[in-house]
Structure formats: C-alpha cells, structure tokens
Amino acid sequence: MKPLPLYRIYQLMNNMINNHLSVLVHRRAEKYGDKVALKYRDYETSQWIPITWNQFSQTVRQVANALVELGVQEEENIGIFSQNKPECLYADFGAFANRAVTIPLYATSSPAQAQYIINDAQIRYIFVGEQFQYDAAFSVFGFCQSLQQLIIFDRAVVRDPRDMTSIYFDEFLETGKGLPNNDIVEERTSRASDDDLANILYTSGTTGEPKGVMLHHSNYIEAFRIHDIRLVDMTDQDISMNFLPLTHVFEKAWTYLCIYKGVQICINLRPVDIQTTIKEIRPTLMCSVPRFWEKVYAGVQEKIAQETGLKKAMMLDAIKVGKIHNIDYLRKGKTPPLMLHLKYKFYEKTVYALLKKTIGIENGNFFPTAGAAVPDEICEFVHSVGINMLVGYGLTESTATVSCFLNSGYEIGSVGTIMPDVEVKIGEENEILLRGKTITKGYYKKAEATAAAIDKDGWFHTGDAGYLKGDQLYLTERIKDLFKTSNGKYVSPQALETKLAIDRYIDQIAIIADQRKFVSALIVPVYGYVKEYAKEKGIEYKDMEELLQHPKILGLFRARIDTLQQQFAHYEQVKRFTLLPEPFSMERGELTNTLKLKRPVVAKNYKELIDKMYEE
C-alpha cells in the first residue's frame, strides 16, 4: 500500500482535531458566528426562539466551567434525564470539553429504571428536565449512594420540601459565568482523544436488565466521515426538526451530524406536538420512525375513501403516476417518457404539493427513517408522491447507520446500501454481523455480554437475521424473537405485526405463537375509527369493552386481517384475536421507552385473555 501524502495526513489530523466532540461546537461557531444554530419553542408565546452559533458556543463554555466548579472529573459519568431541550446539548458538549461522559435517560423512564442506570454508572450529577423527571430522580435519591445533586432545566419545577441539594440550571450556569475555570477546561480539552468515551447509551431491552452501550468519540468521528460520503445533499442550508428523543442513538447521532454539517436544529419539546411544530418550522430534514409515515399513509387513504367522482379519480391517478415515474423509472436510473414526466410535474404542483404542505414538509430534502421495519406499501407510497424517505438500518451498537437508501437504485423491501467502510457479513442462522470503526467496543461493566456479542475476530453479532443481495441489505427477522409453535413451525412476529399495523383500524398489535398450536393476536384498535364505524352502522354500546366484543366490529377486524395476511403461509396467519379496550403501556411494563413490546410482560399481563383464545 502506498504511503499517504503529507497533505492528506495533515488533512485527516486537522479533521480529527476540529471534529472531536469536545471542540465541535466552538469550531462551527468560528465558521458560522451569528447564524442560527438552534431553535426551541416558547410555549407561553408560541414563538420559536433562535440561538446563534456564538451563543451556543458561549453557553457550552459556561457549562464546561460550571462542571469544573461542581468538581466533575475527567472520565466521570454525568446523567441527562430530560425530554429534548437545548440544555441537553449544552450539558453534552460542556461535559465533552472536560473529557467527561454523558449518559442520557429516556424522559419517560420510571424511577426504577433511573435508579438502575444511576447506580450502574455511579452518577454523581444528573440534569433533569421537567417535573416528571425531577420527581422520578428525587424519589430514588436515597437508593443511589453515588448521587449528590440534581440540576433542574425547567424553572417551573417545584422542588420537594425535603430537597436541600438540587439547583436550577440558571443557578448552575451562573457559576460558570466569566469562565472562571477555563484554564482547567482548556487543559482537559487538549488531552481529549478519539479513544475517550463519549456516551453510554442504555438500551431498554425487551428482556433482561438494560445494557450500557459504550460509544467513543472515534465512533462519532467515523460516522461523520462516512455520512459525508453518503449524504452529499446535506448542507448548512438545511433545517432539521429534532423530533425523536435525543436519548435514542438515531436522533443523538443525527443531531451531532447536523452540528458537524452546520445544519440548523429545531428542537421539538413534546413528541405529541409534532403535527403542529412541523408546520411551524417546515423542515428540510427530519429523522422519524415508520409509524410517522404509516399515519400519513392512513390519513391519505382515509381522505381518498371520503372523496367521490373526479377528485377521487385524480388522487388515485396521482399515486399511480408517481409510482411509475419515481419507482419504475427514476429509481432504476431510467428517464421517464415525456408525457409521463409532464403528467407527474402537473401532480407535483397540485396533489403532491398539497399533501406535503398539509404535513409540513413542502421544503423537504430527505427524511431518514429507521427503528422498525417499513412496510413495502408505505415505502412505495411515500416515494410515489415525491417524498425522499431514506430507509435505513442500524443499532445503538453501530452508532446508528449500517445501511440506508441512496437517492436512486434503492430496492423497496431492503434497508438500503451498506455504508462506506462498514463491513457486513452473514453468519450462522443468517445472522447479520458487523465490523468497523462505528461499532461499539462493548457494554459498560459487562465483560460477559461484550464477549458474547463481539467474537474473537471483531465481528459484532446483531441478533438480526437477514441477507445481502449485492450491496443491498435485507432484514428477515429478529433471531431471538422467532416463535416456534407447538407444531414445530417457526413464525416471525415482527413480519406479521409490521404487515397488520398498516391497517388504519389497528394502533398496536402483539402476535402470540410461542409454544402455542396456532397464531393469535392481541390488538389495540384506533378507538376513534371504531366509534365512527359503530355510528355509521347504528351499533349501540355502553362502553368500549362492549363495543369491541360486538359481532359487527369483530367481523370488520376479521375481514381486514384476512385481507392483509394473505401472503403469509397458512400456519403463520392469525387464527384468533382479542381487541383490547386499553392500549399497551410503559407504566405496566409492556413497552420499552422506544415503544417496543416487552413480549414476556405482555404474555404475563394478558395470560387469561391469551389462554381463552386457545380454548377449544
């Protein structure tokens, strides 16, 4: 191999120095100055408040100095237990300047979950967001020997009368005013290296206790490099809506990437408000999970169902034309025929434009989507109407992206093309194995779990099954989640759940099959749609439980399920189902913080209902 020229070595070293998370914000402030870096919504005035790069940088410096004032040491673990707020980023980058490690907790974490993480990581200081997080953290204070102080972001939080140690973020920030400890911060920053630990991200886990995934600065620096190669359309003119929790690697790594690229980040505080905030910001970029697009699809299908005559025909034709133009031609790198192209352009200015404006994405550049399987119908529809959804696949352990769609040449049903310099191979049981500089070095204080996940040749075992077709990656199932019926047949619950969840009447679904003689399902309906249907059909009922047991409602769901599951083998199809009057919940332990089903808990909580479905 030829040695690298000196200019290239200098360029790579310069890149590392300027893109290390300990200095990243400051380097971008030097470049962008008074350009807007962040925005957040003031709920009292309904206004979006801008924060410039210079302000961002200055606040990070103050936080870094205030952390020294607290006595935070290099390589110390610091907790951030909050919903998405600018303060989360201030705390992150202030910690990195001190070579400290940040550990985000989901805003919805229970006291028990918070207690486990605080004790496992021996956290002394934890930043908390609003009242819920404060109450949860304070309630376990006495059970966490390491914990010394809570720092509260929101001034509206009411402290417990017994609380003698907590301070508000503005009070904390005041101790860093004038940068009294800047010499110490600068000295620590000068020692920062790629090998420093940046984050410990605790995966909530559908079984067993959480594992802390260690992500080093080298993981993020490599992620920046390979995304530079792949996402060439991403520039400092883009505006990104920060919607998913910053606790999740998808949004966290994406937000760091946006800072690296100089993208303006608009921080959505309350996930339920996204339909409002997205229209206020009208972003060019936004990470999302498939459920967001499933709801868009369901809304369009509902609209089409309500229309008649010419308007309905026009909407159906627009989707058909878009499919031929974008999927049959452009996706394959072919030029569409002139008449088709002209027709597409007409719909682009009418039907598609109206749809995008209604959602709030008429300025859209591209929209990364991951976290669960994207149903083929959804993927096809979104691309047909000219929305550039980049389907991808990744894990916390891979610093997010392993693969993602290219602008053309993507295959519907796949999770895209492997990222540059990420090695992928298929192992035993068709398990996807990964190797590369974005892959974690292991789990925090869990040597056995690390050894089980990363083999002697450095391959990380994902637990996901799939296959490669050229450089396109396809997922088939989660190996550990494969169900084996009592008849010896294997069933993939995710495949069925993904297929059935696109139905507009189904909100949540849990497939039951393990060691059972056939497949059944627990279904949480979209209650509003069920009520509308009951009204149309003149069905009388006293409560939701009675309505969901009505023969006409059961018949409606039976017909819709049978239509959707036709492509599955007979033994894979849902034979019986139960409609639940209440949704699955995190409070009852049935969902993780990322809203994945905890199957053992569901099986336990609904044992009687499940057993009833298998009675002769």
Side-chain angles (χ1 to χ4, degrees):
M1 184 186 281
K2 285 170 64 177
L4 285 172
L6 279 174
Y7 82 88
R8 182 65 181 134
I9 293 171
Y10 174 77
Q11 190 180 45
L12 287 169
M13 287 177 65
N14 196 48
N15 232 18
M16 188 279 283
I17 293 164
N18 288 323
N19 296 331
H20 194 282
L21 298 178
S22 62
V23 296
L24 185 63
V25 173
H26 310 317
R27 296 297 87 86
R28 293 305 168 269
E30 288 165 11
K31 182 175 181 180
Y32 296 113
D34 290 328
K35 188 179 174 187
V36 175
L38 310 172
K39 277 186 179 178
Y40 68 95
R41 195 177 195 272
D42 182 325
Y43 275 80
E44 287 185 15
T45 64
S46 298
Q47 298 294 310
W48 285 83
I49 310 300
I51 299 161
T52 68
W53 284 100
N54 280 337
Q55 289 170 326
F56 189 7
S57 172
Q58 184 59 26
T59 308
V60 167
R61 289 188 195 280
Q62 272 187 250
V63 168
N65 275 258
L67 288 172
V68 175
E69 197 70 24
L70 276 184
V72 167
Q73 301 298 310
E74 293 176 62
E75 301 180 358
E76 179 169 343
N77 296 331
I78 296 167
I80 303 174
F81 183 14
S82 175
Q83 61 289 78
N84 294 354
K85 294 169 80 72
E87 289 86 348
C88 297
L89 298 176
Y90 302 153
D92 257 348
F93 288 94
F96 297 150
N98 283 296
R99 296 184 68 223
V101 182
T102 58
I103 300 175
L105 285 74
Y106 281 96
T108 51
S109 293
S110 67
Q113 289 169 324
Q115 181 182 328
Y116 176 85
I117 292 171
I118 292 166
N119 285 333
D120 192 57
Q122 289 295 288
I123 292 169
R124 290 199 296 157
Y125 300 103
I126 187 165
F127 293 90
V128 296
E130 295 184 337
Q131 195 72 48
F132 176 87
Q133 293 85 28
Y134 169 80
D135 291 344
F138 187 75
S139 71
V140 300
F141 207 110
F143 304 101
C144 302
Q145 285 191 340
S146 63
L147 193 57
Q148 291 182 16
Q149 192 172 55
L150 312 182
I151 301 158
I152 308 161
F153 288 153
D154 190 344
R155 256 287 174 187
V157 167
V158 178
R159 286 186 292 195
D160 189 287
R162 298 165 296 171
D163 185 356
M164 299 298 156
T165 56
S166 298
I167 58 171
Y168 291 99
F169 187 74
D170 57 350
E171 297 170 328
F172 162 77
L173 208 53
E174 192 66 27
T175 67
K177 195 173 180 182
L179 311 184
N181 304 302
N182 214 43
D183 288 349
I184 297 170
V185 173
E186 292 288 347
E187 186 191 348
R188 288 176 175 180
T189 300
S190 72
R191 288 196 295 271
S193 80
D194 285 17
D195 295 328
D196 288 346
L197 188 57
N199 301 129
I200 302 171
L201 303 185
Y202 281 84
T203 55
S204 45
T206 52
T207 58
E209 62 183 26
K211 294 196 294 263
V213 178
M214 296 187 292
L215 293 183
H216 290 71
H217 287 270
S218 57
N219 297 125
Y220 287 110
I221 290 167
E222 176 67 359
F224 297 161
R225 187 186 72 82
I226 64 177
H227 282 80
D228 252 348
I229 298 168
R230 176 60 56 87
L231 301 180
V232 291
D233 296 335
M234 185 179 183
T235 73
D236 56 14
Q237 300 305 301
D238 277 307
I239 296 171
S240 179
M241 173 63 87
N242 163 219
F243 158 51
L244 299 178
L246 276 167
T247 312
H248 195 287
V249 71
F250 187 20
E251 189 68 68
K252 178 170 282 295
W254 172 258
T255 300
Y256 291 175
L257 178 66
C258 286
I259 292 169
Y260 164 73
K261 298 288 279 186
V263 170
Q264 183 187 126
I265 301 164
C266 300
I267 300 172
N268 183 80
L269 174 72
R270 297 171 187 160
V272 293
D273 291 343
I274 187 60
Q275 289 185 332
T276 299
T277 58
I278 196 173
K279 287 171 191 167
E280 292 173 344
I281 293 299
R282 304 196 176 269
T284 64
L285 308 167
M286 184 179 79
C287 285
S288 65
V289 289
R291 194 68 181 141
F292 178 85
W293 299 109
E294 286 168 13
K295 287 180 178 177
V296 169
Y297 175 78
V300 171
Q301 295 303 311
E302 176 79 2
K303 180 74 175 164
I304 290 171
Q306 290 171 354
E307 296 294 348
T308 56
L310 188 60
K311 200 168 182 182
K312 183 172 187 171
M314 188 176 173
M315 291 174 77
L316 290 168
D317 190 55
I319 295 169
K320 181 182 172 184
V321 166
K323 179 185 178 300
I324 299 168
H325 186 275
N326 292 343
I327 294 172
D328 297 347
Y329 281 92
L330 293 186
R331 178 178 68 91
K332 297 175 181 176
K334 298 195 291 189
T335 304
L338 181 61
M339 289 309 294
L340 175 70
H341 183 64
L342 291 173
K343 204 172 182 185
Y344 178 83
K345 284 294 179 186
F346 167 73
Y347 284 135
E348 195 173 46
K349 291 176 182 175
T350 53
V351 178
Y352 312 147
L354 180 61
L355 169 62
K356 291 175 190 175
K357 193 167 185 182
T358 303
I359 303 168
I361 57 168
E362 67 270 31
N363 301 324
N365 180 359
F366 62 85
F367 299 95
T369 303
V374 180
D376 290 357
E377 296 95 321
I378 306 296
C379 190
E380 194 173 271
F381 163 77
V382 171
H383 283 94
S384 294
V385 297
I387 298 169
N388 190 13
M389 176 175 71
L390 298 187
V391 175
Y393 164 70
L395 306 98
T396 308
E397 292 89 343
S398 63
T399 324
T401 323
V402 168
S403 63
C404 71
F405 276 18
L406 299 169
N407 284 335
S408 64
Y410 59 87
E411 292 292 336
I412 288 173
S414 79
V415 287
T417 305
I418 305 299
M419 292 293 286
D421 297 322
V422 173
E423 294 181 77
V424 176
K425 78 171 182 177
I426 306 301
E428 291 179 17
E429 295 186 77
N430 296 321
E431 185 177 16
I432 297 166
L433 310 183
L434 307 174
R435 195 164 64 178
K437 291 181 181 177
T438 58
I439 310 304
T440 183
K441 293 177 183 176
Y443 299 108
Y444 185 66
K445 296 200 298 194
K446 284 187 166 44
E448 282 185 23
T450 299
I454 303 172
D455 65 29
K456 59 181 174 55
D457 296 319
W459 290 100
F460 173 74
H461 292 241
T462 64
D464 291 319
Y467 61 93
L468 284 165
K469 199 171 174 181
D471 59 356
Q472 304 266 349
L473 181 62
Y474 291 78
L475 302 182
T476 50
E477 66 259 331
R478 179 84 186 149
I479 291 169
K480 291 174 185 172
D481 274 353
L482 270 184
F483 287 161
K484 189 177 184 181
T485 66
S486 57
N487 298 320
K489 300 286 189 181
Y490 283 97
V491 173
S492 170
Q494 297 96 330
L496 261 171
E497 287 163 357
T498 299
K499 186 69 180 174
L500 297 178
I502 68 169
D503 190 277
R504 71 190 190 92
Y505 281 92
I506 296 176
D507 186 24
Q508 298 171 309
I509 181 167
I511 293 296
I512 312 296
D514 204 29
Q515 300 303 312
R516 301 281 185 171
K517 55 191 172 184
F518 56 80
V519 178
S520 67
L522 297 172
I523 295 172
V524 176
V526 178
Y527 301 117
Y529 286 160
V530 176
K531 286 178 183 176
E532 283 176 23
Y533 185 83
K535 190 176 178 182
E536 284 172 23
K537 300 297 178 184
I539 300 170
E540 294 183 2
Y541 58 96
K542 69 173 187 294
D543 56 26
M544 185 55 66
E545 191 166 354
E546 183 182 328
L547 176 60
L548 295 179
Q549 290 172 6
H550 195 282
K552 284 187 179 178
I553 299 298
L554 293 172
L556 168 72
F557 277 86
R558 179 78 270 169
R560 298 182 81 89
I561 290 167
D562 287 346
T563 301
L564 287 168
Q565 65 180 4
Q566 286 174 12
Q567 70 188 66
F568 291 91
H570 184 69
Y571 68 84
E572 294 177 300
Q573 294 182 4
V574 173
K575 303 292 186 295
R576 293 179 186 171
F577 61 89
T578 299
L579 302 178
L580 303 177
E582 290 184 6
F584 299 125
S585 78
M586 282 189 283
E587 289 72 28
R588 292 193 300 272
E590 294 152 4
L591 298 172
T592 70
N593 286 305
T594 53
L595 304 183
K596 291 186 175 75
L597 279 173
K598 288 189 174 181
R599 298 187 191 279
V601 179
V602 169
K604 181 183 173 186
N605 288 0
Y606 295 89
K607 186 179 184 303
E608 285 185 28
L609 285 177
I610 292 168
D611 288 344
K612 197 172 178 183
M613 290 192 285
Y614 290 92
E615 288 175 1
E616 293 298 336

